[in-house]
């Protein structure tokens, strides 16, 4: 787990009926943030079972080699991947949703971006057959700007604001492979039999940037006129580019905790 409260300060703001959460990281906590991020990055690319098997057969050099085949080396791809990883970890730790798979394990190539919704969160409500869905767009930029948030909003509004059929099918197929048949069936039922209402969906923009995201996220929520619940999260680390480089360097050098 990333344990966000250990190294960041979170401020909540209401924008109408919706919410912005702003996370900042002070310089004294940068090393801890980097260590925690480096500790969780590997499992987003390959399962712990795969790591354990490679370690048993080939030792630490084998694990290092496996990581080198999976982790991107291009800085823009590292930035995008880390934004998605941070969003996934935040959802699991700090919202009522969970992310049942780590999507980056299924990348076609380490330097390629994946298509479809960045992250899908799931919430099962006891006594209710319906599933709650969290549709997420994760954006990472040293200097966040209006256009980036507009692109995220446009993506969220695709497929009538619901998770795309491609993303849901991908999710249910991966869950079947992982032996989570009940959850896979529930997702298929929601998509293929019952339909997904706007009331079942929450949309999230997760930004990871070096500059202050508050104004951009607030403007987006103030102009939103749809019926889907909104949650916007902005994580600011001023040393954005250096932080990304340090995280991936730690992982590739085997320095993660």
């Amino acid at each position: 787990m990333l344990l966000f409260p250990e190294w960041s300060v979170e401020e909540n703001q209401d924008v109408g009926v919706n919410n912005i959460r702003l996370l900042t990281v002070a310089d004294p906590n940068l090393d801890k943030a980097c260590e925690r991020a480096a500790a969780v990055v590997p499992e987003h690319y390959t399962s712990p079972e795969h790591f354990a098997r490679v370690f048993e057969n080939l030792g630490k050099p084998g694990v290092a080699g496996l990581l080198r085949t999976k982790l991107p080396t291009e800085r823009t791809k590292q930035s995008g991947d880390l934004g998605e990883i941070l969003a996934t970890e935040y959802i699991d730790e700090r919202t009522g949703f969970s992310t049942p798979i780590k999507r980056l394990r299924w990348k076609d190539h380490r330097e390629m971006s994946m298509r479809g919704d960045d992250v899908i969160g799931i919430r099962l409500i006891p006594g209710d057959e319906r599933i709650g869905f969290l549709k997420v767009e994760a954006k990472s930029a040293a200097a966040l700007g209006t256009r980036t948030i507009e692109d995220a909003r446009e993506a969220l509004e695709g497929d009538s604001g619901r998770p795309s059929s491609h993303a849901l099918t991908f999710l249910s197929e991966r869950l079947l492979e992982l032996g989570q048949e009940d959850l896979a069936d529930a997702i298929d039922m929601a998509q293929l039999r019952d339909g997904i209402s706007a009331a079942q969906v929450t949309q999230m923009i997760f930004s990871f940037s070096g500059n202050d995201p508050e104004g951009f996220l607030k403007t987006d929520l103030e102009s939103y006129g749809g019926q889907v619940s909104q949650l916007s999260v902005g994580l600011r680390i001023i040393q954005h580019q250096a932080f990304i480089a340090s995280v991936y360097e730690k992982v590739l050098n085997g320095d993660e905790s």
Side-chain angles (χ1 to χ4, degrees):
M1 298 176 70
L2 266 174
L3 304 175
F4 286 88
E6 288 192 358
W7 48 267
S8 66
V9 176
E10 183 172 315
E11 173 192 350
N12 292 312
Q13 294 184 21
D14 291 327
V15 180
V17 297
N18 298 308
N19 187 252
I20 293 176
R21 301 180 186 179
L22 301 170
L23 289 79
T24 55
V25 182
D27 285 349
N29 289 332
L30 271 175
D31 287 345
K32 181 178 289 187
C34 186
E35 289 172 2
R36 294 306 308 159
V40 303
V41 160
E43 67 187 43
H44 280 264
Y45 291 96
T46 299
S47 69
E49 293 80 10
H50 193 185
F51 279 122
R53 190 169 184 85
V54 170
F55 182 80
E56 181 180 355
N57 291 329
L58 301 171
K60 194 170 183 180
V63 172
L66 175 61
L67 284 171
R68 282 193 293 271
T69 69
K70 298 286 287 185
L71 270 63
T73 58
E74 296 179 10
R75 188 56 45 82
T76 56
K77 296 301 186 295
Q78 290 178 347
S79 177
D81 279 9
L82 188 56
E84 185 171 320
I85 290 168
L86 293 168
T88 300
E89 294 290 327
Y90 185 87
I91 291 162
D92 285 336
E93 289 187 33
R94 306 292 292 167
T95 75
F97 294 88
S98 63
T99 55
I101 67 167
K102 292 178 170 54
R103 195 175 74 119
L104 296 177
R105 293 179 185 176
W106 288 273
K107 289 181 71 171
D108 291 334
H109 188 280
R110 63 180 181 173
E111 307 296 359
M112 293 179 63
S113 300
M114 295 188 73
R115 293 171 293 176
D117 301 328
D118 287 343
V119 186
I120 298 293
I122 299 293
R123 177 166 57 196
L124 299 176
I125 304 172
D128 193 333
E129 292 185 358
R130 296 177 304 168
I131 299 178
F133 293 95
L134 180 67
K135 181 178 182 179
V136 184
E137 280 294 309
K139 297 295 183 182
S140 177
L144 189 70
T146 299
R147 184 59 195 169
T148 302
I149 299 302
E150 288 177 346
D151 288 345
R153 174 55 58 195
E154 182 178 353
L156 288 175
E157 291 307 300
D159 297 282
S160 301
R162 279 74 163 170
S164 70
S165 58
H166 173 271
L168 292 175
T169 300
F170 177 86
L171 179 56
S172 66
E173 287 178 345
R174 300 293 81 74
L175 288 169
L176 283 174
E177 293 169 356
L178 295 171
Q180 298 187 45
E181 296 177 354
D182 289 346
L183 185 53
D185 289 345
I187 292 169
D188 287 339
M189 293 293 186
Q191 178 183 201
L192 304 173
R193 184 190 68 183
D194 303 329
I196 299 171
S197 69
Q200 289 174 254
V201 181
T202 300
Q203 295 174 350
M204 174 196 281
I205 294 176
F206 183 98
S207 71
F208 166 44
S209 64
N211 61 334
D212 188 351
E214 179 179 359
F216 304 108
L217 296 175
K218 188 173 183 180
T219 297
D220 171 71
L221 285 186
E222 288 175 339
S223 62
Y224 177 72
Q227 301 300 311
V228 178
S229 296
Q230 303 291 311
L231 172 61
S232 295
V233 180
L235 170 62
R236 184 186 187 189
I237 297 179
I238 295 174
Q239 304 86 344
H240 179 270
Q241 294 293 294
F243 180 81
I244 295 168
S246 182
V247 168
Y248 278 88
E249 183 179 357
K250 279 182 175 293
V251 176
L252 288 169
N253 289 339
D255 297 332
E256 73 276 10
S257 299

